[in-house]
Amino acid sequence: MENHVIEMLNIRKEFPGIVANDNITIQLKKGEIHALLGENGAGKSTLMNVLFGLYQPEKGEIKVKGKKVNITDPNVANDLGIGMVHQHFMLVDTFTVTQNIILGHEPKKFGFIDLKKAEKEVADLSERYGLKVDPYAKIRDISVGMQQRVEILKTLYRGAEVLILDEPTAVLTPQEIEELIKILKSLVNEGISIILITHKLKEIMEVCDRCTVIRKGQGIGTVNVAETSTDELASLMVGREVSFTTEKQDANPGKTVLSVKDLRVKDNRKVEMVKGLNLDVKAGEIVGIAGVDGNGQSELIEAITGLKSIESGSIFLNDKEITNLSPRKVTQSGVSHIPQDRHKFGLVLDFPIGENMVLQSYYQKPFSKNGILSFNNIYDKAKRLIEEYDVRTPSEYTKARALSGGNQQKAIIAREVDRSPDLIIAAQPTRGLDVGAIEFIHKKLIEERDKGRAVLLISFELDEVMNVSDRIAVMFDGNIIANVLPQETNEQELGLLMAGSNQAKEGAQ
Amino acid sequence: MFSNRMFNLLVPIISVLLGLIAGAIIMLSFGYNPIDGYIALWNGAFGSPYFFGETIRQVTPYILTGLAIAFAFKTGLFNIGAEGQVIVGWLAAVWIGTTVDAPMFIHLPLALIAAAVAGGLWGFIPGLLKAKLGVHEVIITIMMNYIALYVSNGIIRDVLTDSKDSTDTIKESAALSANWIMELTSYSRLHYGIIVALAAAVFMWFLLEKTTTGYELRSVGLNKHASEYAGMSVSKNIILAMVISGGFAGLAGAMEGLGTFGYMPTHSAFTNIGFDGIAVALLGGNNAFGVILAALLFGVLKIGALNMPTVAGVPSELVEIVIALIIFFVGSSYIIRWALLRLKKEGN
């Protein structure tokens, strides 16, 4: 009998109309890092929510250290030593690290919070696991990577022996990911067991001991990472062969479509975020902008698309100036924009998917005649796009909110690409999507490039930038600090460039 | 267990029933017979042609203020200013009704349009401030209510009359009232206004659901960021929504000025037609046809309740409490929604 800390045996969880988990078994050994792999919507979160006591399973049993348990709510899970770090951090910005960690479990002395004691405990824990967290720092002053460590510390402070991490690397830079991996390994050495929810295969190969794959709610099986490959894992997850390096011909750049000259943009706080940036994108090429979030990428896109007015500089599209035009004029002059935040900008979630398909063109013929909408034409177009772009939706009348993230994104891409623009701006087009959807979107972007369109890709995922771009511009502190070709660089160098390292810049030149 | 449509229908119905039950308990605990009370209420609203006519007359402005609030809601705005918009609409209608000489087919529409424009202007100001300066519309509309109340009193006293506390009666050619309707309903004050109100409801539905403008308004209401991204002007739509919303409320004022009263008295306090419109819109689910039904319920309660003190001996204060309880349960429909959802969950 092996030493399992957690066993979830033949778990089945149903929701009205769907079976989210069917006969899934996952067994976590003490001191291992166990990956839980699956596409979005495969049922990973449901399974972990069952373990965390948020859902009750219809069938199956959960054992902790060999004893059958009934986890009725998250407090029970906490008491059993199960801790979870969510993808979106649950921290109070204006509190210090220590205050956040003790929140809800405050050590008390005469009815007052004993902050001194707590700070010492946090410092001790941090040292023991090599987390290097400053117990006195305020959350708003520390980096995202550091905030994640605070979340990990929070669970350890509450006595967690089993740590569930939900997509922990999604928000980190390559260097931060390396640090995290070190931390995970040291946690395991101290006897903590870890479940890592992810769909990044490379990370699994690097840190995990075993990997349980689920697909469409079904448990596919558990494999030893040492005995498998990324290709095998991917096909287990998706159910078919997947190509990673996106197949593409060499670019055949034509004339300059987008030309940005000496652009300066301030953000809402009046801080200059884009500082004299120059950038050209030619027809038939994909230019990828690599950079850590917050180095002016959002402001650059907003300036080009007319969502934000600029301080100085100029923007040309096909030699016509589009500086400070309204978003509608920019759209009409041939720019499509796949926005970074699809819920905030890309869709009106409570509109039917069909009405979302004409979000920029609803006022034009044939969708509107004399100010009256023609729903027949709108839904005809929606139906055609849904079919062409394989948007999985019960019908074109379904609210956009009800679709999965991947299908929402496909709908946006359908709408933006179908307008036959000269320039496509794709900001993080695959954020949070699974490999199947990512593959589809990358293929579409390359197809559009091959049709002679200019594509500007902004992504925080190095893999994506390296794979899809024909040219990479590295953005740091409001400027393009390096232009590199994907075939002549590597992740290490890009990572250093993105961190603003001059050494790497010189090396690249 | 329930379809979504059923669900949306069930929530207001249960709210009303709970309100009636709570009202019954109050009546019982004060020693009145709730069955007698509610029978008196029913008869007071539908018991005779006169009562029926009065009920419909009361429903008319409620539909319009309900539409005003609902329209603003649909666009993501909270128009507390319907009250003030009613007052300026009333004043504008009576002003045109008393001073202009024209045949009816010009005079009456002119007076109605004046009321809508006045209400629209009263909505334009908070809309403009919201769109351009980001000032919250709730604060501005509340203030605009007071401005409307006291400015209209001043105009009635010092401009339209010589220190009187009521305007002259409007000319025949601007009146919504008609003898044959009054005769039919035993001389209630029922007037043609109900047709205007119903047409306004159809207009709102058509505008929001069928036109390009409505698409923009709904889109801005549901997601400002996506609307801006898609090239719509958020500020233009906010202003437009407040103007149309104010226009509906202004028309409600015209119903009182051209229909029910035929003149405008100075007001020492608010008419409450605008404020009641908030509850009407809520109960009607911010939907044009829902608003008609909700306004009907409010009209029935208001007019029917007048019969309760005389017939069933229930004091009018208790009647007000019963009405307030119904509104309370409507307002707390969240609780009912939650309870229904639990039922739904367990049923499955």
Side-chain angles (χ1 to χ4, degrees):
Chain A
M1 174 92 195
E2 282 189 87
N3 186 11
H4 289 134
V5 262
I6 301 259
E7 290 173 275
M8 300 181 78
L9 303 170
N10 308 316
I11 299 292
R12 180 183 173 89
K13 175 71 200 164
E14 293 170 25
F15 292 110
I18 49 161
V19 181
N21 286 162
D22 188 15
N23 201 20
I24 299 182
T25 294
I26 178 169
Q27 292 171 307
L28 181 67
K29 288 184 204 164
K30 186 166 174 58
E32 74 164 344
I33 304 182
H34 194 123
L36 181 59
L37 176 69
E39 292 191 281
N40 285 316
K44 290 173 295 187
S45 307
T46 307
L47 186 67
M48 287 302 111
N49 284 335
V50 167
L51 180 58
F52 207 55
L54 291 165
Y55 296 142
Q56 301 308 312
E58 261 78 35
K59 266 189 211 151
E61 56 183 20
I62 302 174
K63 286 184 184 170
V64 174
K65 292 177 189 155
K67 244 195 290 176
K68 188 170 183 263
V69 291
N70 191 10
I71 304 178
T72 47
D73 66 68
N75 289 331
V76 177
N78 274 330
D79 293 342
L80 290 168
I82 302 170
M84 188 153 176
V85 175
H86 294 271
Q87 198 174 351
H88 300 282
F89 304 148
M90 307 191 175
L91 297 168
V92 184
D93 259 8
T94 50
F95 277 16
T96 66
V97 168
T98 306
Q99 284 171 326
N100 267 287
I101 288 172
I102 61 173
L103 202 61
H105 287 72
E106 301 87 351
K108 294 208 181 78
K109 202 173 168 184
F110 312 122
F112 292 95
I113 295 174
D114 190 352
L115 206 57
K116 283 250 158 55
K117 185 176 162 215
E119 277 159 354
K120 192 170 174 308
E121 280 175 3
V122 170
D124 288 349
L125 268 178
S126 163
E127 188 150 341
R128 182 164 151 214
Y129 294 105
L131 292 174
K132 296 184 199 131
V133 170
D134 173 9
Y136 309 101
K138 286 210 167 122
I139 294 297
R140 63 167 178 218
D141 298 331
I142 61 178
S143 70
V144 174
M146 203 52 97
Q147 291 178 10
Q148 188 173 51
R149 294 186 204 173
V150 174
E151 284 281 11
I152 294 174
L153 259 185
K154 208 158 96 181
T155 61
L156 295 175
Y157 182 83
R158 285 156 168 68
E161 291 168 39
V162 174
L163 207 55
I164 306 167
L165 294 162
D166 189 0
E167 300 278 355
T169 58
V171 288
L172 303 182
T173 63
Q175 277 74 19
E176 282 177 322
I177 292 176
E178 258 174 44
E179 299 246 339
L180 175 71
I181 288 172
K182 269 191 221 147
I183 290 169
L184 294 185
K185 287 187 171 155
S186 81
L187 286 173
V188 167
N189 284 338
E190 294 283 333
I192 307 273
S193 318
I194 296 173
I195 297 179
L196 194 67
I197 305 177
T198 187
H199 52 240
K200 289 190 187 161
L201 303 167
K202 228 174 51 190
E203 283 157 17
I204 294 178
M205 298 305 291
E206 205 175 330
V207 289
C208 296
D209 302 304
R210 294 193 304 153
C211 174
T212 295
V213 185
I214 54 182
R215 186 201 311 153
K216 290 176 183 154
Q218 305 274 338
I220 299 299
T222 302
V223 291
N224 283 322
V225 169
E227 296 159 16
T228 186
S229 64
T230 45
D231 289 340
E232 193 198 353
L233 284 178
S235 53
L236 279 177
M237 165 167 72
V238 182
R240 61 179 166 81
E241 295 280 314
V242 181
S243 75
F244 283 102
T245 41
T246 324
E247 298 269 327
K248 61 172 188 180
Q249 311 282 311
D250 282 343
N252 195 0
K255 64 183 180 60
T256 303
V257 172
L258 173 74
S259 173
V260 177
K261 295 206 168 75
D262 202 26
L263 182 73
R264 288 176 189 276
V265 189
K266 287 185 177 168
D267 70 1
N268 297 334
R269 300 165 301 167
K270 303 281 172 216
V271 179
E272 194 169 72
M273 291 303 281
V274 179
K275 303 170 179 172
L277 178 141
N278 290 291
L279 176 73
D280 280 348
V281 184
K282 297 192 173 72
E285 72 166 347
I286 299 178
V287 174
I289 293 202
V292 180
D293 194 5
N295 276 289
Q297 296 97 322
S298 309
E299 286 76 15
L300 171 65
I301 305 167
E302 287 174 9
I304 299 172
T305 52
L307 286 165
K308 185 164 244 133
S309 53
I310 69 166
E311 295 299 311
S312 66
S314 49
I315 303 165
F316 292 89
L317 187 78
N318 291 326
D319 298 327
K320 265 186 254 153
E321 182 152 13
I322 58 165
T323 320
N324 279 342
L325 289 186
S326 70
R328 172 144 301 163
K329 291 259 168 62
V330 174
T331 306
Q332 285 168 342
S333 58
V335 177
S336 272
H337 175 195
I338 298 159
Q340 192 174 133
D341 187 335
R342 57 178 162 264
H343 288 171
K344 194 167 166 193
F345 289 99
L347 295 165
V348 178
L349 288 174
D350 289 310
F351 268 7
I353 196 70
E355 289 189 33
N356 269 297
M357 289 294 196
V358 294
L359 204 57
Q360 292 104 333
S361 50
Y362 62 93
Y363 63 94
Q364 293 165 338
K365 276 186 182 168
F367 310 124
S368 166
K369 279 176 207 153
N370 306 320
I372 309 287
L373 294 174
S374 163
F375 284 102
N376 283 340
N377 292 334
I378 290 173
Y379 282 105
D380 279 351
K381 177 189 166 129
K383 232 187 269 173
R384 177 174 68 76
L385 288 180
I386 285 167
E387 241 164 69
E388 253 174 57
Y389 287 79
D390 189 31
V391 182
R392 310 256 168 91
T393 167
S395 90
E396 56 273 26
Y397 301 100
T398 309
K399 278 188 182 171
R401 188 182 289 287
L403 270 60
S404 73
N407 284 308
Q408 290 174 342
Q409 191 71 346
K410 280 184 190 171
I412 294 174
I413 286 170
R415 180 183 75 206
E416 296 305 311
V417 169
D418 189 65
R419 274 208 313 275
S420 312
D422 296 319
L423 171 69
I424 298 172
I425 299 174
Q428 296 238 71
T430 59
R431 177 154 81 168
L433 304 186
D434 53 67
V435 276
I438 291 174
E439 197 188 4
F440 176 89
I441 286 165
H442 287 171
K443 240 170 45 200
K444 273 288 165 199
L445 288 178
I446 291 163
E447 248 176 66
E448 291 307 305
R449 176 202 76 169
D450 292 342
K451 286 185 199 159
R453 278 161 200 165
V455 179
L456 181 62
L457 170 74
I458 291 97
S459 178
F460 307 139
E461 302 275 346
L462 278 185
D463 282 349
E464 180 163 47
V465 174
M466 302 260 293
N467 260 327
V468 182
S469 316
D470 301 311
R471 196 148 65 77
I472 299 174
V474 182
M475 197 162 173
F476 176 74
D477 194 24
N479 235 314
I480 304 286
I481 58 159
N483 276 293
V484 289
L485 295 174
Q487 57 273 24
E488 289 172 7
T489 186
N490 55 45
E491 293 210 359
Q492 232 31 52
E493 188 193 43
L494 274 181
L496 285 169
L497 284 169
M498 282 160 63
S501 161
N502 280 325
Q503 248 180 340
K505 189 174 160 193
E506 277 154 24
Q509 278 166 350
Chain B
M1 194 164 164
F2 321 104
S3 70
N4 262 347
R5 230 201 160 92
M6 252 292 261
F7 190 74
N8 286 337
L9 218 70
L10 227 67
V11 171
I13 290 174
I14 293 177
S15 309
V16 172
L17 284 179
L18 282 177
L20 289 174
I21 291 167
I25 293 169
I26 296 271
M27 280 191 263
L28 265 178
S29 61
F30 281 87
Y32 301 102
N33 184 342
I35 296 172
D36 285 352
Y38 285 133
I39 288 175
L41 179 83
W42 178 263
N43 286 337
F46 300 110
S48 76
Y50 173 81
F51 286 141
F52 183 70
E54 277 295 300
T55 300
I56 298 301
R57 179 201 52 80
Q58 186 69 43
V59 167
T60 305
Y62 280 157
I63 292 177
L64 286 163
T65 51
L67 292 177
I69 312 281
F71 193 87
F73 264 136
K74 279 261 177 183
T75 328
L77 297 163
F78 199 13
N79 179 13
I80 306 282
E83 186 61 42
Q85 292 146 12
V86 167
I87 293 173
V88 295
W90 188 339
L91 182 71
V94 171
W95 200 328
I96 297 290
T98 52
T99 55
V100 171
D101 269 311
M104 190 172 206
F105 73 95
I106 295 173
H107 200 181
L108 179 56
L110 188 69
L112 287 173
I113 289 167
V117 168
L121 177 73
W122 230 247
F124 171 77
I125 295 167
L128 183 75
L129 289 170
K130 164 101 178 179
K132 298 294 175 198
L133 300 173
V135 191
H136 203 286
E137 74 275 11
V138 166
I139 296 168
I140 303 298
T141 49
I142 289 175
M143 295 305 145
M144 295 291 288
N145 286 344
Y146 287 99
I147 298 173
L149 178 65
Y150 295 113
V151 165
S152 68
N153 283 348
I155 289 176
I156 293 167
R157 262 187 226 113
D158 298 331
V159 181
L160 290 179
T161 69
D162 206 3
S163 299
K164 286 189 213 155
D165 49 14
S166 163
T167 64
D168 297 336
T169 304
I170 53 162
K171 292 173 182 151
E172 278 284 297
S173 52
L176 279 167
S177 49
N179 274 325
W180 70 269
I181 305 181
M182 293 210 247
E183 278 168 25
L184 198 73
T185 58
S186 322
Y187 292 93
S188 79
R189 292 173 292 171
L190 181 62
H191 52 82
Y192 281 123
I194 186 68
I195 297 167
V196 176
L198 293 176
V202 174
F203 171 76
M204 166 165 152
W205 167 80
F206 184 81
L207 180 71
L208 279 177
E209 302 300 327
K210 298 287 164 196
T211 69
T212 312
T213 314
Y215 180 91
E216 278 194 24
L217 288 168
R218 284 185 292 132
S219 172
V220 170
L222 290 171
N223 187 343
K224 259 199 287 206
H225 301 286
S227 306
E228 195 187 355
Y229 151 86
M232 301 170 195
S233 164
V234 172
S235 42
K236 187 193 96 182
N237 279 292
I238 286 176
I239 296 172
L240 182 66
M242 282 303 286
V243 167
I244 295 175
S245 170
F248 282 131
L251 275 179
M255 298 302 108
E256 302 296 272
L258 306 178
T260 307
F261 294 93
Y263 62 89
M264 183 171 186
T266 56
H267 283 90
S268 56
F270 289 124
T271 66
N272 279 337
I273 301 169
F275 293 133
D276 287 344
I278 298 171
V280 170
L282 270 178
L283 183 60
N286 297 322
N287 165 296
F289 300 105
V291 162
I292 295 176
L293 294 178
L296 184 66
L297 175 79
F298 268 71
V300 168
L301 287 174
K302 274 265 145 114
I303 299 301
L306 299 176
N307 203 31
M308 283 168 79
T310 46
V311 175
V314 183
S316 51
E317 287 84 354
L318 269 190
V319 175
E320 291 287 333
I321 292 175
V322 173
I323 294 180
L325 279 172
I326 292 174
I327 299 172
F328 170 82
F329 278 103
V330 172
S332 54
S333 67
Y334 173 77
I335 300 169
I336 296 159
R337 213 167 268 276
W338 175 80
L340 277 181
L341 275 177
R342 271 194 82 110
L343 263 176
K344 203 171 171 177
K345 233 180 172 174
E346 276 163 23
N348 275 308

